[in-house]
Amino acid sequence: MAETFDTLTAVTALERFGEGSLSPEALVDDCLGRIARDNPKVNAFTCVNEVEARRLAEKSAQRWQAGAPLGPLDGIPVTIKDLTLTKGLPTRLGSTTTAPDGPWEVDAPISRHLRSAGAIVIGKTTSPEFGWKGVTDNPLHGITRNPWNIELTPGGSSGGAAAASALNLGLLHQGSDAGGSIRIPCSFTGTFGIKPTFGWVPQWPASAMSTLSHLGPITRTVTDSALMLNVMAQPDPRDGYSGNPHGPNWLTPPPVDLRGWRIAFSANLGYVEVAPDIAQRVEEAVAHLEELGATVERVDPGFSDPLRTFNKLWFAGATQALEKLDEQQQAALDPGFLDIARRGQDVSLSDYLAARRERSELTAHMAAFHQQYDLLVTPTMPIAPFAAGHNVPPGGAHRDWMDWTPFSYPFNLTQQPAASLPCGLDSQGLPVGLHLVAGKYQDLKVLQAAQLLERYLPLLTPPSLA
């Protein structure tokens, strides 16, 4: 029987490349075969880079045989989100308003850094139009589905990356997160993803959502995300917003335990209604933090829901897209996106500046909070995945996607590092995410705590799609 790599990690693949027990050609061939088998069911890819991936895998195999890999990711198949420029591959932003023939002549910083490290871009993954919402469907590529149940959404906006990661269709996956777009789909698909502190990972072109938007990895394990960050989080002169471009060694091993750490556990931020079965899985995961020696205190961070503040900034950012489109193109947009963009036109300059002030106040509040606590832990999502093709759970009272993602967007306002770690299954057998948040530039605390917790928690693998 041919070897398959449904759960292979990038770290293990690199070890096997080095010892000669696996070739990049075999790995890429297997990934492409499973993409051909599984992608029609989940619609995670906008395009597959088959011919070029095979050519690059052959070159990588020759380098490994010569003992001279190109870089720390040589031969590893990766995916890039459709919002990210990738030379030679279409970046359509999930929109029929974009040109189908490019030209696609430039790599964004992330694409360039990954390729320079030897990674093989195996394809581009789906996003909602312009990455505007917390689920993944768009007028150009249709609906992306959850590998755990294809009737359900994988979340978004990095839903294609998360679905591909859950199925290991490629080993490392790039996501972006301006309001939860890495952490929402990671929670819904049982994968790990981190929104690093704003400024670590360069962005160009700048997001329409400006300094709300963070770029980061989505993977099946914490260490694979750290491996990816060691490559992604490098400076690029095109990024006009870089805050602290020289990052740590993201692969710094965790401590033996968490003795001396003070962790705040907030089950609901003081104002969120959480499904009981999700709350139970989160409680069980938090108990492991205590087993690791941390002092865990049940305490809310002490802020009220900043949704109005977030929406003013988000809607105003969405409005920028309309300025470039004529009436016919606007009519072709996702109706939900068109709605929030037009609502953004009603945000006055005074309201916008007030939202920025409120944002700075929340940022200062959380900076003071993290003077006392190494981490804040919450659920990632208060609800389970719902029917695909809907922006909000059908039959509920929610109007916008932000209404059902209350744990994620506050920490885009504050630009803190925040990750979602799978912590078990709910009563329906669907993944639950644990949300880990640290103070700005304290990303290693998130990664190291997650690595230690991961040892207590099962690796989640979706049921067969056959």
Side-chain angles (χ1 to χ4, degrees):
M1 182 179 293
E3 184 176 21
T4 60
F5 307 105
D6 300 64
T7 60
L8 182 71
T9 68
V11 169
T12 300
L14 290 166
E15 292 171 352
R16 292 188 59 185
F17 290 166
E19 67 189 23
S21 65
L22 174 65
S23 75
E25 293 167 294
L27 177 57
V28 165
D29 184 66
D30 180 81
C31 283
L32 289 170
R34 288 185 294 107
I35 290 170
R37 182 192 71 193
D38 293 339
N39 189 58
K41 301 163 188 172
V42 295
N43 190 32
F45 286 81
T46 65
C47 66
V48 179
N49 193 26
E50 181 173 356
V51 173
E52 180 71 358
R54 293 187 189 279
R55 184 187 73 80
L56 293 173
E58 180 182 1
K59 296 292 185 183
S60 175
Q62 293 170 358
R63 292 191 294 268
W64 280 104
Q65 289 167 5
L70 177 63
L73 298 180
D74 200 349
I76 298 297
V78 305
T79 70
I80 304 293
K81 189 174 177 178
D82 186 37
L83 303 186
T84 302
L85 290 177
T86 313
K87 186 176 180 180
L89 294 174
T91 301
R92 297 294 305 279
L93 313 178
S95 182
T96 61
T97 67
T98 57
D101 52 358
W104 320 112
E105 298 177 341
V106 180
D107 270 334
I110 280 182
S111 304
R112 187 180 75 173
H113 290 334
L114 290 171
R115 284 172 155 166
S116 296
I120 296 171
V121 178
I122 205 165
K124 300 290 291 285
T125 55
T126 53
S127 165
E129 191 166 36
F130 302 111
W132 81 270
K133 59 184 176 181
V135 297
T136 302
D137 59 69
N138 64 63
L140 184 61
H141 298 112
I143 298 172
T144 298
R145 300 179 180 276
N146 194 322
W148 288 84
N149 179 340
I150 60 173
E151 298 301 316
L152 305 179
T153 180
S157 65
S158 306
S165 181
L167 294 168
N168 229 27
L169 306 181
L171 304 189
L172 304 175
H173 307 270
Q174 178 253 320
S176 60
D177 186 318
S181 292
I182 287 173
R183 293 159 290 154
I184 296 164
C186 283
S187 182
F188 278 3
T189 62
T191 52
F192 177 82
I194 180 170
K195 172 188 77 69
T197 297
F198 184 86
W200 285 134
V201 180
Q203 293 195 58
W204 180 87
S207 168
M209 302 309 170
S210 185
T211 56
L212 291 171
S213 178
H214 305 225
L215 305 181
I218 295 176
T219 60
R220 287 177 55 78
T221 67
V222 181
T223 304
D224 271 7
S225 277
L227 174 71
M228 196 175 182
L229 279 167
N230 256 3
V231 171
M232 295 168 68
Q234 300 180 46
D236 187 287
R238 295 171 292 178
D239 178 15
Y241 285 119
S242 289
N244 194 349
H246 298 287
N249 175 6
W250 298 87
L251 285 165
T252 301
V256 174
D257 55 39
L258 296 178
R259 296 181 191 278
W261 286 45
R262 292 184 68 193
I263 296 177
F265 170 45
S266 177
N268 60 11
L269 294 181
Y271 55 81
V272 179
E273 182 178 348
V274 180
D277 51 348
I278 292 174
Q280 180 62 35
R281 294 291 84 77
V282 170
E283 291 272 359
E284 292 165 0
V286 169
H288 294 313
L289 290 169
E290 294 179 308
E291 292 177 48
L292 285 162
T295 298
V296 178
E297 300 178 31
R298 292 177 178 268
V299 58
D300 297 326
F303 57 77
S304 57
D305 188 353
L307 180 58
R308 288 172 58 87
T309 300
F310 178 80
N311 279 350
K312 290 173 188 175
L313 299 174
W314 187 269
F315 295 168
T319 298
Q320 294 184 59
L322 297 190
E323 297 172 357
K324 304 174 185 177
L325 304 177
D326 59 31
E327 289 187 9
Q328 184 176 358
Q329 290 174 313
Q330 290 186 27
L333 293 171
D334 181 326
F337 177 72
L338 182 60
D339 174 60
I340 69 161
R342 286 179 171 165
R343 286 155 69 186
Q345 292 174 328
D346 295 330
V347 176
S348 69
L349 177 58
S350 176
D351 285 344
Y352 183 80
L353 293 175
R356 291 188 54 155
R357 183 184 67 253
E358 292 157 6
R359 178 185 189 181
S360 68
E361 291 168 354
L362 178 60
T363 301
H365 175 86
M366 288 308 298
F369 182 83
H370 284 286
Q371 292 295 309
Q372 296 180 277
Y373 297 102
D374 295 283
L375 291 177
L376 169 65
V377 178
T378 75
T380 307
M381 294 297 301
I383 62 171
F386 51 88
H390 295 266
N391 293 345
V392 300
H398 303 302
R399 176 182 181 183
D400 297 313
W401 69 265
M402 305 86 161
D403 297 336
W404 52 266
T405 61
F407 291 108
S408 59
Y409 58 76
F411 305 105
N412 293 85
L413 290 168
T414 61
Q415 301 184 327
Q416 296 172 242
S420 183
L421 174 72
C423 65
L425 302 177
D426 67 11
S427 60
Q428 304 174 70
L430 298 171
V432 174
L434 182 73
H435 197 213
L436 306 173
V437 184
K440 288 180 74 171
Y441 305 114
Q442 299 300 308
D443 304 54
L444 285 183
K445 289 183 177 180
V446 173
L447 289 171
Q448 292 176 344
Q451 284 176 298
L452 292 177
L453 274 175
E454 197 175 41
R455 300 172 187 175
Y456 290 83
L457 302 169
L459 179 70
L460 299 185
T461 301
S464 172
L465 294 178

